[in-house]
């Protein structure tokens, strides 16, 4: 949501008319639907051949790369020493990277992120599963949404505009992506260790 706020703010600058702005959002919705259908087909192969770790890491990795391109080009486009043509080109590249981030984030939620999240609960007992779902779906989700809103309001009050707050928004975005990736890698290692112990116990019982 924090990224979406920054991206839509940039879109309003690039497409000041209502028709132009709504046209871009309509294209994003179309691309999201197309990618969601395709990724639902491909995701099974990703889980089967690449494993949980790759499937769970794809979303933050792609969002991180595209998001960094968006923030970098948007900030460069605002530099006064650039010519009008160069600034327009950089802003266009940033907007495209923003579209990629938004489309992939929405499409991968249902094809990769949600299935990967549900797979974590498989090895848990009933109590652990209940506590885990409560922590992720209730507490984590609400904190994320509320936190993004509070951060956005603070940046607007402190900086005065979306454009002025862009560097700080980019830093928060990068920190969230890095934390997301680190948590994914850590959880993957824990799952591998749990699976290793389970196999050892099965082998010991069979012997």
């Amino acid at each position: 949501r924090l990224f979406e706020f920054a991206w839509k703010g940039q879109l309003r600058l690039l497409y000041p008319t209502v028709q132009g702005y709504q046209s871009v959002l309509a294209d994003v919705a179309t691309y999201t639907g197309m990618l969601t259908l395709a990724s639902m087909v491909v995701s099974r192969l990703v889980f089967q051949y690449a494993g949980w770790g790759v499937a769970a890491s794809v979303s933050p990795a792609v969002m991180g790369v595209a998001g960094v391109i968006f923030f970098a080009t948007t900030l460069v486009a605002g530099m006064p020493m650039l010519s009008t043509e160069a600034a327009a080109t950089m802003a266009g590249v940033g907007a495209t990277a923003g579209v990629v981030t938004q489309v992939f984030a929405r499409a991968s939620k249902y094809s990769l992120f949600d299935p990967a999240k549900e797979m974590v609960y498989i090895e848990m007992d009933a109590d652990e599963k209940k506590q885990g779902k409560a922590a992720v779906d209730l507490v984590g989700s609400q904190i994320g949404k509320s936190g993004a809103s509070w951060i956005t309001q603070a940046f607007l009050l402190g900086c005065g505009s979306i454009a002025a707050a862009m560097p700080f928004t980019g830093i928060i975005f990068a920190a969230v992506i890095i934390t997301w990736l680190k948590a994914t890698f850590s959880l993957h290692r824990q799952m591998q260790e749990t699976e290793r112990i389970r196999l050892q116990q099965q082998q010991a019982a069979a012997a």
Side-chain angles (χ1 to χ4, degrees), residues 2 13 50 105 108 162:
L2 192 63
L13 296 177
S108 64
I162 297 175

Side-chain angles (χ1 to χ4, degrees), residues 91-186:
V93 172
T96 303
V99 169
V100 171
T101 305
Q102 283 293 102
V103 169
F104 194 85
R106 295 174 182 178
S108 64
K109 180 183 187 303
Y110 303 104
S111 59
L112 293 172
F113 179 77
D114 284 351
K117 181 184 68 176
E118 293 301 320
M119 289 175 67
V120 176
Y121 300 129
I122 293 177
E123 297 296 331
M124 296 182 180
D125 58 35
D127 290 337
E128 290 177 337
K129 188 178 298 185
K130 185 184 298 184
Q131 294 173 0
K133 283 183 174 292
V136 174
D137 297 336
L138 297 178
V139 179
S141 177
Q142 293 305 315
I143 289 178
K145 293 177 181 179
S146 301
S149 299
W150 281 106
I151 291 172
T152 298
Q153 293 298 323
F155 283 166
L156 283 177
L157 291 174
C159 301
S161 67
I162 297 175
M166 195 68 71
F168 307 103
T169 307
I171 292 173
I172 298 296
F173 176 81
V176 170
I177 292 295
I178 291 172
T179 303
W180 185 357
L181 284 169
K182 290 178 65 176
T184 300
F185 295 149
S186 175

Side-chain angles (χ1 to χ4, degrees), residues 28-75:
V28 169
T30 301
Y31 297 148
T32 300
M34 295 169 59
L35 184 59
T36 300
L37 291 175
S39 58
M40 290 293 285
V41 175
V42 176
S43 62
R44 182 178 64 85
L45 300 176
V46 175
F47 279 104
Q48 182 176 353
Y49 294 104
W52 185 92
V54 173
S57 302
V58 168
S59 297
V62 174
M63 290 175 61
V65 172
V68 167
I69 294 174
F70 165 76
F71 284 107
T73 52
T74 300
L75 292 174

